[in-house]
Every structure is written in C-alpha cells, then in structure tokens.
Amino acid sequence: MAHYAIGDVHGCCGALQKLLRRIHFHPARDRLWFTGDLVNRGPRSADTVRLVMDLGDAADCVLGNHDFHLLAVTEGAISRQPLDTFDDILSAADGDAITDWLRRRPLAVTNAAADTILVHAGVHRDWSAADVMRHALEVETALRGGGFQALMHNLYGNDPVQWRENLSGFARLRLIINILTRMRYCTADGAMDFTCKAAPGNGDLGVRNGGGDSGNGDGTPGNGGTDNETGGLVPWFRTPGRRTRDRRVVFGHWASLGLYRGDNVLGIDTGYCWDGALTAVRLDAPGEVVQVEA
Ligand SMILES: [Mn+2]
C-alpha cells in the first residue's frame, strides 16, 4: 500500500493519468488524497471528475474554490465567467451526477492516525485539528441538506475575514469556506487578506527555503523584511501559535508558492495548468515526490 497526495488537477486529466501511471497506482492497493480544484482552467474537467469518481474508496478529494464556483454556476447563483472551462460538465449527459458527487465531497480529511490533515487552502491559526474537522463538517452538512441552494447564493464575498466562534448563519459558513478553500496570507492574528498579490519565493518571505531560516522563527510579520510587498502579512501556516503546528497539513491552491515543505505543512499545487507541474507526494514514506511537467 502506498498513500499519495496529489495537487490541484484543474481539468488536466491527461496529466493525472500520466502521474498515476508514473506512481504505479493501483486502486485495490493504494490510496490517493486530492487537494481539490479538480475542475476549471484546464481542458477536461468532466473526465477528471469521472476518473476520481471511479476510484471510489481508493481516493479522497476535498473541495476547492473552483469546485465551489462550479456548484454555484450550476445552481444559478453566479454566471459562468469568461475564463471558466467547465462547459464539458455543464453540457454532459452525466453532468448532474458529476456536480452531485462534488457537492458531497468533504472540505477536510484526516487519516486514521489523525496526524495528517488534508484541506484545499489552509486552516485557521486558532483551530485545533478537531476544530478543523468540526467546522468542515458544518459546511458539508449544509452542502448536503436543503439549504444548499441558499448557501450557493450566499457563497461569494470576502467578509468576515476573522474567525469568531460566535459567528452564525451564512457569514459563518462563508468564512469557514474561505479559510479552507481560499486563504493564503493572513495577519499575525489570523485575519485573512485577499488583496496581497505578492508571490512568495522572491526572497520576501523566504518560504521556498522550507522555513528553517525564518528570521526569529516566531512568524512575526515582516521578519522577512518586505513589508512593502506583503503589508506585514504572513502565509497562513506561519501565523504564530497555530494550533495545528503539531500535525502535518497537506494543501494545494497556492501555485505561486510551488512545492513547499516546511512549518510542518506540505503545499503541493505546482500549477500544471500554468505551465508548471502536477505533483504527487508520498505521505506514508518520507521524501518521495513524483511530478509530471506541463
Ligand atoms: Mn484553489
């Protein structure tokens, strides 16, 4: 048995098939975790979802922001955007089966040992591992219930940006969804920022170095020395006092971050659909990284 995590596929089904051959994946023996965003941007969203659906219990896949976007489009909550490339799902005979399957995906997955957590984007500083699963379940329950359509109509928006346990209603669900599927940069106390476009890895945060040289190591904003670029923001996994720092958090979503291993997290969206690579990382044996280049 081998357990691999695979980054954002974004409709690049051919690359996924190639990657599965390269890791000698066998569904009866091996296990896959997908970081979500199976759809959009690439050419074959429908085939990608069908492939993962057919893997059954051999694969877990969390929802990403593009998967949510597709669900919102199919519910008429937002119109299809010019850059969207999931028309193959919208027009497919099995399109409803595909979107219904996506709607029933989780937002967070953990393993039996509970030492590793899979999400699309990130987790809040103040959430324990149990909190991550509990808040993901709140959204999963809403997605599967009669309030699904209303949730899709209340999905979009950046507010609120900071977690409070006493939030309720759609503001609470939207914030949980934004944390788990859209978050990149935060203030030191974990409030999300969606405006910072500075790509890490230009020396601004030193994150490509794996976190071993992060200044004073406490994640103090700006200790990389480029407040002018990041406005004193830090990647979510560097927020001081993050309660999941004793668990391995596997995530995608951040293609400009690239393959990232440090801070006890594993970022594996390497941007195949942006001329990067599709990445698989073995979780049950250290170190093995397999990539298909675009
Ligand atoms: Mn994403």
Side-chain angles (χ1 to χ4, degrees), residues 76-96:
I78 190 168
S79 55
R80 185 193 164 285
Q81 302 296 297
L83 294 177
D84 290 342
T85 64
F86 44 56
D87 286 355
D88 56 342
I89 293 177
L90 301 180
S91 62
D94 61 346
D96 286 349

Side-chain angles (χ1 to χ4, degrees), residues 7 10 23 47 85 93 113 123 140 167 216 218 220 245 263 283 290:
H10 277 300
I23 64 174
D47 286 341
T85 64
V123 298
E140 292 156 15
L167 282 168
N216 56 23
D218 66 1
T220 303
R245 63 188 181 276
D263 301 287
L283 297 178
V290 181

Side-chain angles (χ1 to χ4, degrees), residues 75-135:
E75 287 303 312
I78 190 168
S79 55
R80 185 193 164 285
Q81 302 296 297
L83 294 177
D84 290 342
T85 64
F86 44 56
D87 286 355
D88 56 342
I89 293 177
L90 301 180
S91 62
D94 61 346
D96 286 349
I98 288 172
T99 54
D100 196 60
W101 181 85
L102 283 172
R103 183 183 153 188
R104 287 162 209 290
R105 289 314 93 203
L107 278 77
V109 167
T110 191
N111 57 344
D115 57 4
T116 306
I117 300 168
L118 171 71
V119 296
H120 179 64
V123 298
H124 193 273
R125 187 193 81 149
D126 296 341
W127 292 356
S128 68
D131 291 335
V132 174
M133 304 313 294
R134 181 165 60 91
H135 298 317

Side-chain angles (χ1 to χ4, degrees), residues 8 10 37 64-66 120 181 184 252-254 269:
D8 304 26
H10 277 300
D37 278 357
N65 53 312
H66 285 269
H120 179 64
T181 74
R184 291 190 183 98
H253 184 61
W254 201 340
D269 180 5

